[in-house]
Amino acid sequence: MAPGIHLPALLALAAVTGHATAAPHARAGATCNTVQYNFPAGTNKNDPRAEAVKQAYVREWNQYSKYAFPKDDLLPITHNGTNDLFGWGATVVDGIDTAIVMGLTDIVEQQLKHIASVDFTKSAYIVDFFDVNIRYLGGLLSAYDLIKSGDFAGSYDDDLVEALLSQAKSLATAISPVFDTVTGLPAADLNFSSQQIEQSTTTVNGVTYNSTNTAQAGTLILEYYRLSDLTGDESFRQNAQKAEKYLINPNPAPAFPGLVGTELNTDTGDFITFDGGWEAGVDSFIEYLIKTYVYDRDDSFASDMKDFWITTAESSIQNIALSPYQNPQLTFLSQLDTDGNIMWTMDDYACFAGGNLLLGGKYLDRPDITDFGVKVADSCHWLYNHTLTGLGPSSIGWFNGSNQPYDSSYNTSTYRAEAAKNGGYFIEDAAYASYPEPLESIFYAYRVTGDERWQEYNWQIFNALNTTRSKAVPYAEITDVNAPYGGELSNYVASFYFAEVLKYLYLTFAEPDVVSLDNFMELFNAEIKEAMGRWNSGDNPNC
Ligand SMILES: *[C@@H]1O[C@H](CO)[C@@H](O)[C@H](O)[C@H]1NC(C)=O
Ligand SMILES: *[C@@H]1O[C@H](CO)[C@@H](O)[C@H](O)[C@H]1NC(C)=O
Ligand SMILES: *[C@@H]1O[C@H](CO)[C@@H](O)[C@H](O)[C@H]1NC(C)=O
Ligand SMILES: *[C@@H]1O[C@H](CO)[C@@H](O)[C@H](O)[C@H]1NC(C)=O
Ligand SMILES: *[C@@H]1O[C@H](CO)[C@@H](O)[C@H](O)[C@H]1NC(C)=O
Ligand SMILES: *[C@@H]1O[C@H](CO)[C@@H](O)[C@H](O)[C@H]1NC(C)=O
Ligand SMILES: *[C@@H]1O[C@H](CO)[C@@H](O)[C@H](O)[C@H]1NC(C)=O
């Protein structure tokens, strides 16, 4: 999710649609691979848990609306807002799809009006390409698709709905100078006033390179495919493929097949680090490999992406899926260091892997990969289940098969005692910053297996979110998952709290045909896993 290696998450064309291809064609003669469990009719009908999550959205939206609208993010303790994401109203744009799915029509109307009023071609800030894609383009396109599907409550002004698409196109066009590098790998940032790109740099062995990271270059292709399909303008797809090509043909070869590092040289397209895994800096690149194929499996480029995903999944099972010393019940996905060595550490972002493996394993009829996804999802749930607050830490480490840690700084009696108590791992960073990834994997596990224990897990986490921290401000981020009430509160509510946390919770308790995995795909859920698009109205798109 996060593009920076160690950065936490904090970090008009209205008329064109008429002749555009809105979705890939139905696939005559192909076999149907249904992803979702065959739930009996009436499953989850009127489940009060879904209503409780919806009420949490209403309550917290009202706080945002009162104190921060239309700034990017709510500061819940000082009761104001901050423009930390270019000043276009990130919480509105990122969070609208959840409100559409929940049928919160008054809120959606307020959100649509704001979106239509923004000039996405202007910003006083340095604009980060990654956040543009995952929060803004993903949010705009998913809202457009969801409303157009006609499956959700509410009838909205046509001009406001069409503005979602025209705004997406004008924003994607405004940010397009980032592709103007030697290789076409996107630069990290653009100064919107001067139109100058700003390159990140990475220094390895004393040499400094212009660089981008894997998540940054690999978390746009779904949005760009969708934008080309909806507008008929192929330049978006072409730019995205040009960048993606370097990622799925890595040079030099990664330390383990399919497990590419986080940094690439934008002047040559070569990888300059070998720190692979499913963690921040790589994460949503892997996620998009399979989702792009599910979106358009007749596309040969997407098929190459799928092949790379299979290599990544198989290599993960073989090389980085590891259990802590004497705790075979847990399966973690290790990150690699910049030289490609196993670190026996994992961050929360990597917890999206369970859901992604379940989706791809089921879609491709690979039970070995599906079973592996269940193990990873269970292990991430364990992390949440074994803290005082019921919320999970930002990162953990563990003692390996020889009872050794990666780094001698972890070799302390405190970490050893913690590991003995917890199941072989210790908490490296105890903060919880509204992470959606385990919730996402638990949601997938429920929808794919039909096993109600997963609903219990997400209900426990909802209660932890809703009550453990309610002493002061229930939706603020916390500094210590093992301290009463989470330790210190942080004065911040991320847009993805609305976009992802509450969405995955809601969908876990909603009727399974609400955003069925067989009719919808969470297409745009970059690191943010926020948005959803539909590709084949009415039909099972897997056929
Ligand atoms: C929010 O309010 C606090 C306290 O009044 C103030 O210090 C801070 O500067 C405000 N933040 C913004 C971004 O306006
Ligand atoms: C962005 O470009 C404008 C216009 O050239 C310049 O005044 C401003 O300083 C730049 N911003 C940053 C943060 O570099
Ligand atoms: C980065 O790219 C700029 C031009 O785009 C070039 O002037 C500069 O030398 C490059 N920096 C490095 C470290 O290669
Ligand atoms: C852990 O799971 C058990 C069994 O589902 C449950 O009773 C308990 O409340 C959970 N603990 C936390 C902290 O979530
Ligand atoms: C555990 O880590 C130590 C220290 O890095 C290493 O020597 C040993 O081979 C590792 N054991 C396993 C089973 O990976
Ligand atoms: C950890 O401590 C043990 C015993 O004190 C020692 O044998 C081992 O080499 C240490 N491992 C690391 C990675 O520092
Ligand atoms: C969530 O918190 C609110 C505010 O404290 C409370 O009114 C509501 O009952 C809680 N929901 C659940 C399911 O506990």
Side-chain angles (χ1 to χ4, degrees), residues 254-255 259-262 273-279 282 286 320 334-338 340-341 343:
L259 295 170
V260 298
T262 61
T273 63
F274 294 88
D275 44 349
W278 294 65
E279 74 280 1
V282 180
I286 302 175
I320 59 165
S334 180
Q335 22 194 132
L336 305 177
D337 67 18
T338 51
N341 302 303
M343 295 178 75

Side-chain angles (χ1 to χ4, degrees), residues 107-149:
I107 292 175
V108 173
E109 225 166 275
Q110 181 191 0
Q111 293 167 331
L112 286 173
K113 283 183 185 147
H114 168 73
I115 289 169
S117 75
V118 173
D119 184 348
F120 285 99
T121 67
K122 294 203 168 63
S123 176
Y125 304 89
I126 299 294
V127 175
D128 177 276
F129 181 58
F130 183 71
D131 284 311
V132 161
N133 293 326
I134 62 170
R135 305 192 206 231
Y136 287 106
L137 285 180
L140 293 166
L141 292 170
S142 60
Y144 180 79
D145 277 337
L146 289 167
I147 292 176
K148 285 290 211 180
S149 76

Side-chain angles (χ1 to χ4, degrees), residues 344 400-406:
W344 304 291
N400 74 8
S402 319
N403 202 15
Q404 295 298 317
Y406 170 71

Side-chain angles (χ1 to χ4, degrees), residues 156-308:
Y156 305 104
D157 182 291
D158 283 345
D159 291 343
L160 294 180
V161 176
E162 290 307 324
L164 293 165
L165 180 57
S166 59
Q167 294 285 43
K169 183 167 184 189
S170 65
L171 175 54
T173 304
I175 193 86
S176 63
V178 293
F179 292 104
D180 202 7
T181 60
V182 176
T183 52
L185 277 166
D189 297 296
L190 181 72
N191 178 332
F192 261 42
S193 319
S194 66
Q195 291 288 298
Q196 292 292 308
I197 58 175
E198 309 222 332
Q199 299 250 28
S200 305
T201 57
T202 299
T203 302
V204 177
N205 297 330
V207 183
T208 298
Y209 305 91
N210 286 324
S211 64
T212 189
N213 78 37
T214 300
Q216 200 143 33
T219 313
L220 54 117
I221 194 159
L222 267 176
E223 287 84 350
Y224 279 51
Y225 264 56
R226 189 70 188 144
L227 200 50
S228 286
D229 284 341
L230 288 170
T231 64
D233 179 342
E234 286 299 311
S235 68
F236 302 112
R237 192 190 325 268
Q238 285 158 5
N239 281 339
Q241 286 179 345
K242 198 170 172 191
E244 185 83 16
K245 198 179 61 187
Y246 294 100
L247 304 177
I248 62 172
N249 298 287
N251 181 54
F256 298 108
L259 295 170
V260 298
T262 61
E263 298 295 326
L264 297 116
N265 179 341
T266 52
D267 293 322
T268 62
D270 291 348
F271 274 92
I272 47 187
T273 63
F274 294 88
D275 44 349
W278 294 65
E279 74 280 1
V282 180
D283 51 7
S284 39
F285 155 65
I286 302 175
E287 178 184 351
Y288 275 32
L289 292 171
I290 188 68
K291 288 187 173 177
T292 306
Y293 178 69
V294 176
Y295 174 70
D296 189 357
R297 73 180 195 179
D298 295 331
D299 179 76
S300 70
F301 193 86
S303 187
D304 292 345
M305 291 172 67
K306 175 262 297 173
D307 292 341
F308 197 85

